[in-house]
Amino acid sequence: MKSFLRAAAATGVAAATLAAGLSFGPVATASSAGVGDSTTPGGAAEQSQSEREASTSRASTNATWTGFPSVTGLRVKSTTTSGATFEFNYPAANPKCNGYSSTWYSFEYGMGFDPDIYTYSHRDAVDANSAGYIAPTISWPSDWPEGATKSISVRAYSWWSGSNVASCNGQENGGLGPVSRISVTRPRTFAASSAYDKADDSFTISGRTVASSSQIQVSADNGNTWETVGNASSYKYEFKLDRKYTSGTSIRLREGSSGTGSPVTLHSAALTDVSVRRDGPKRTLTAKATANGEVHVSKSDVAADDYQVIKAGADGWIRGAELDKVPGTANTATMWIGDKGVRTEVNLPLTLGANAIDVNVEKGTANLEGFVPEGTNLLQVEWGSKTKTVTEFTDGMFQQALDDLALGSNPVKITALKGATQLGTFSLDVDLKVEDVTAKATFDKENVERTVELRGTATPGAKIEVRRGMNVEATETVGADGSWSGTVNPPNMTGVDTLDVVQVIRGQDNGAMELPVNYGIGTTITSPADDFVLQPGNDLVLKGVSQQNSLLRVFEKDNKGTILGSTTADPDDGGWAIPVRGLEDREYELVVATTSIGYNLTTTEITINPGKSVELDPATVTTESVKPGTTNTIEGSATPGSSLRIQNKWGTDLLGEDVPVDNNGRWSFDRVISASATNFAFKIVQTKGSLTTTSELFTVTADDPAASL
């Protein structure tokens, strides 16, 4: 055995490790995953070519080893929170080196390791001459993920000791046996943690689960009651908890609907020994927090509503800190330590104090609201030249309307009396502050048909007049938060439109600012030039530059209802092109109408074919006579491409449809002539483009029926 231990040390494996057969690894939840699996039927070992080659002695190239034992019945016995237990049988064997029997052999095994003697992490020594059974346990390695399946590898390693060392060329450690492997899956465990968002005092829980999909339940009363808050997916979960579960210092989470669950820390400890005292119009706080801890004094239970933050001393105490930022009308405050302290609602004692609310600068009014010391039966309120008394109190609170307040500072003095005894006085200033007026203009550059939007700030309740020169273009009222907004109609001109934004208080201008609003460039026609002559039959292409995203329409100056073409200016450089088709060979005064940012409407004109006019060819009738009682075809000539309407002498349409004139100037239509007719009389209304002309009355004589017979 002494020789075996020396050989173990020679391979870099500690003797204590070899003897114990135990190793390292993280804690895992017990599972039956992989239990009962075997390498091959009957437990036969799987052996690669490289492993067979490794089965000869590493100690000496001159030594020949034979009779290495192979393990049988290799299987996973169990998995635990710390690792896996596997078992196998080993045969009685007597490996030989150069024909001489070895004294010992050991079994090497490892989890997830290559079957190499120098990387196996465990060894157990057994007597080489007796068969037996072994069930070692090894821990999960840190690089073996939960839920992952890897292999356990086992093989024999022979040892030489005693007087026969010389028989094996002086070597104590011998060769390697065949490798057997078994797969095992590391079980998954349930884990839970929380993340805190101090902005809204909320907790998000997250973690991993044993099952791929399962319920997650939460208990806020240490497992007495449970509620389902969501479902895990793909072995994980993450939920923002409802705040009804998170008022305490911890909760419990569990997977499914059984078990005691895992504790998860939430809030830290609450304030203790809290005391708020009244000292005249002041209130002071004494409480025990943590060393140098920051205590929130808040309107609600989130830091965003803090009145003030008070820092504790090195001993954790806050002693007599003045609550000077807490409104005098507040009856309660919520307090906690740091970001995650348990919230504590504290009642605040009443003392003499007041606040001005609903201050209206325009009307010069405000409401005084406050509280009085215990025993007060008369309150005297003085401001300006006025004095009012209050005798009605509800739970120590009072209200008093103030009027005729001047702009700016308005000192107010409050005196509390119990009979003739003065209980205290309190002074405050009701400031009707006139704020500066601000304004800015914003365009919707994507939607040019929206007027410019004006936004700014001014005195709450004041009026804002937007003036263009002497004209008031818009009037708005400033909101309670001091903001105002509105729109103004465009000037329908290019460039900068200068507006005056004036604040009007009590009918008087009280602050103004000049606001330049840039409507950008107008429309320029770059091609063709004015007085361009268009060849008959050609299409006209107008090109130009406008404000980006502008809408453009082309129409004849005296006929804006008929749009000849339209487009949108390029959003990058404002370029545009509009094809105009079907123009006649005559003069046109064309208008390019532009709608640019702020719904600003401008126009640009161009003349095409200056001085050129066109007349319609007179309509003629070539049919000389008609036959009564039959359908007759009436023919004639007119302007090529025009259309005709056939009317009687009173202007009534006879056909109900247009008669087209072909490119050769020919037209025809069919008409039934009554048997008693002596002629067919009609007028021709000829139209082409914007030109229309009406012919004289044509009369086609009907044939004499008797003559025809």
Side-chain angles (χ1 to χ4, degrees):
M1 186 65 180
K2 178 181 178 182
S3 176
F4 163 75
L5 295 177
R6 288 199 302 271
T11 62
V13 181
T17 302
L18 299 178
L22 299 176
S23 182
F24 49 87
V27 176
T29 299
S31 170
S32 61
V35 175
D37 295 339
S38 61
T39 51
T40 58
E46 298 176 351
Q47 187 179 28
S48 67
Q49 178 64 32
S50 62
E51 292 160 354
R52 287 194 296 272
E53 293 172 355
S55 296
T56 57
S57 173
R58 290 179 177 270
S60 171
T61 56
N62 296 321
T64 302
W65 286 82
T66 59
F68 282 93
S70 297
V71 303
T72 59
L74 176 62
R75 63 188 292 272
V76 176
K77 187 175 183 181
S78 65
T79 54
T80 68
T81 57
S82 58
T85 299
F86 62 100
E87 57 186 2
F88 60 89
N89 296 307
Y90 58 92
N94 191 5
K96 299 179 183 296
C97 179
N98 293 339
Y100 292 90
S101 297
S102 62
T103 306
W104 306 93
Y105 63 80
S106 66
F107 291 92
E108 299 179 312
Y109 50 90
M111 300 180 80
F113 291 88
D114 291 331
D116 187 289
I117 188 169
Y118 295 106
T119 60
Y120 275 64
S121 58
H122 308 272
R123 290 196 181 123
D124 284 315
V126 298
D127 192 320
N129 295 311
S130 61
Y133 164 85
I134 187 170
T137 298
I138 51 179
S139 302
W140 304 111
S142 59
D143 62 348
W144 192 319
E146 291 186 4
T149 300
K150 296 188 179 183
S151 62
I152 296 175
S153 301
V154 183
R155 68 177 170 191
Y157 188 99
S158 292
W159 301 87
W160 187 264
S161 63
S163 60
N164 290 329
V165 171
S167 301
C168 197
N169 299 316
Q171 304 299 318
E172 290 183 338
N173 54 337
L176 308 176
V179 175
S180 295
R181 298 190 191 90
I182 183 67
S183 295
V184 62
T185 300
R186 180 174 180 173
R188 295 181 180 272
T189 58
F190 179 76
S193 63
S194 67
Y196 181 67
D197 184 352
K198 67 179 181 180
D200 59 357
D201 186 35
S202 66
F203 287 89
T204 298
I205 57 169
S206 61
R208 62 180 184 270
T209 55
V210 176
S212 174
S213 177
S214 57
Q215 284 186 341
I216 301 299
Q217 293 190 333
V218 61
S219 173
D221 55 7
N222 201 31
N224 291 325
T225 58
W226 293 89
E227 291 187 49
T228 300
V229 294
N231 293 292
S233 176
S234 301
Y235 301 101
K236 59 185 179 181
Y237 63 93
E238 181 174 308
F239 310 112
K240 184 174 180 179
L241 282 180
D242 190 296
R243 292 178 63 184
K244 67 182 180 181
Y245 303 117
T246 60
S247 61
T249 58
S250 67
I251 56 172
R252 301 190 74 84
L253 296 176
R254 70 183 182 185
E255 180 178 5
S257 57
S258 62
T260 59
S262 302
V264 175
T265 300
L266 298 178
H267 290 109
S268 53
L271 280 170
T272 58
D273 301 317
V274 181
S275 173
V276 180
R277 297 183 59 187
R278 180 179 64 199
D279 183 12
K282 298 180 181 179
R283 289 177 289 199
T284 58
L285 169 67
T286 298
K288 183 67 167 66
T290 56
N292 301 310
E294 292 187 335
V295 174
H296 296 258
V297 182
S298 180
K299 180 180 180 180
S300 68
D301 53 6
V302 296
D305 288 337
D306 281 354
Y307 292 130
Q308 64 189 100
V309 176
I310 302 173
K311 189 171 183 179
D315 60 355
W317 277 99
I318 294 173
R319 293 182 173 90
E322 184 178 349
L323 301 180
D324 56 343
K325 302 295 191 301
V326 181
T329 54
N331 294 321
T332 63
T334 301
M335 303 182 187
W336 67 91
I337 308 169
D339 288 339
K340 297 174 63 176
V342 171
R343 273 57 173 166
T344 302
E345 187 175 82
V346 178
N347 292 322
L348 303 179
L350 295 177
T351 185
L352 181 59
N355 285 326
I357 62 173
D358 302 327
V359 177
N360 191 311
V361 175
E362 173 69 20
K363 296 179 180 179
T365 60
N367 286 321
L368 204 61
E369 180 177 274
F371 46 90
V372 296
E374 186 177 353
T376 300
N377 54 26
L378 178 66
L379 198 70
Q380 185 172 290
V381 182
E382 302 172 69
W383 75 97
S385 60
K386 294 193 172 187
T387 299
K388 296 289 185 180
T389 57
V390 181
T391 57
E392 294 183 3
F393 309 100
T394 303
D395 297 328
M397 304 292 294
F398 78 93
Q399 289 185 337
Q400 174 62 48
L402 306 179
D403 56 11
D404 294 333
L405 298 175
L407 296 179
S409 175
N410 292 272
V412 178
K413 181 181 178 181
I414 303 172
T415 303
L417 299 169
K418 181 179 181 182
T421 303
Q422 181 175 300
L423 299 180
T425 63
F426 181 79
S427 297
L428 74 156
D429 185 47
V430 181
D431 187 10
L432 271 61
K433 183 179 179 181
V434 177
E435 304 288 350
D436 293 335
V437 61
T438 67
K440 66 177 182 179
T442 304
F443 289 104
D444 187 339
K445 295 184 178 180
E446 300 297 326
N447 183 2
V448 298
E449 293 184 309
R450 291 187 62 180
T451 53
V452 65
E453 184 175 26
L454 306 182
R455 289 184 176 274
T457 59
T459 305
K463 286 185 170 53
I464 296 295
E465 289 186 356
V466 181
R467 302 171 184 171
R468 181 180 287 129
M470 300 299 293
N471 297 323
V472 177
E473 300 292 330
T475 301
E476 307 295 340
T477 300
V478 184
D481 62 351
S483 66
W484 66 272
S485 64
T487 62
V488 65
N489 290 327
N492 294 333
M493 55 175 285
T494 59
V496 176
D497 178 31
T498 301
L499 300 173
D500 292 312
V501 180
V502 182
Q503 178 173 231
V504 180
I505 299 177
R506 303 181 186 179
Q508 300 294 320
D509 292 359
N510 206 317
M513 71 165 289
E514 188 177 87
L515 179 64
V517 182
N518 191 352
Y519 283 87
I521 65 173
T523 292
T524 301
I525 300 174
T526 59
S527 175
D530 200 19
D531 295 338
F532 173 72
V533 176
L534 180 68
Q535 295 301 313
N538 286 353
D539 292 338
L540 174 67
V541 178
L542 297 177
K543 297 180 181 179
V545 177
S546 300
Q547 184 74 29
Q548 291 93 329
N549 291 316
S550 293
L551 305 178
L552 299 109
R553 295 170 295 123
V554 178
F555 52 83
E556 199 168 357
K557 187 173 183 178
D558 296 327
N559 188 16
K560 64 170 58 178
T562 302
I563 304 302
L564 303 178
S566 63
T567 191
T568 301
D570 187 86
D572 296 323
D573 60 15
W576 56 267
I578 302 176
V580 181
R581 301 177 177 88
L583 294 182
E584 299 171 353
D585 188 23
R586 63 177 177 85
E587 179 181 278
Y588 284 89
E589 291 185 0
L590 299 180
V591 177
V592 179
T594 304
T595 304
S596 58
I597 53 174
Y599 204 52
N600 197 38
L601 306 178
T602 56
T603 60
T604 304
E605 298 182 5
I606 184 173
T607 301
I608 304 298
N609 298 331
K612 183 181 289 189
S613 62
V614 63
E615 295 181 356
L616 297 177
D617 296 335
T620 66
V621 178
T622 57
T623 300
E624 296 180 353
S625 63
V626 294
K627 292 183 179 181
T630 64
T631 299
N632 291 260
T633 299
I634 314 300
E635 298 178 328
S637 64
T639 304
S642 64
S643 61
L644 310 180
R645 300 294 287 189
I646 308 303
Q647 300 177 348
N648 62 20
K649 62 181 179 179
W650 297 285
T652 301
D653 196 310
L654 298 178
L655 303 181
E657 60 182 0
D658 288 342
V659 175
V661 181
D662 64 22
N663 292 334
N664 296 318
R666 305 302 303 170
W667 58 265
S668 66
F669 65 87
D670 292 335
R671 178 71 175 179
V672 175
I673 306 301
S674 66
S676 61
T678 59
N679 60 56
F680 173 45
F682 60 93
K683 295 187 296 184
I684 297 176
V685 179
Q686 182 179 188
T687 300
K688 184 176 183 182
S690 61
L691 301 178
T692 300
T693 183
T694 302
S695 72
E696 74 280 4
L697 188 67
F698 293 103
T699 301
V700 180
T701 303
D703 293 339
D704 182 357
S708 175
L709 291 173

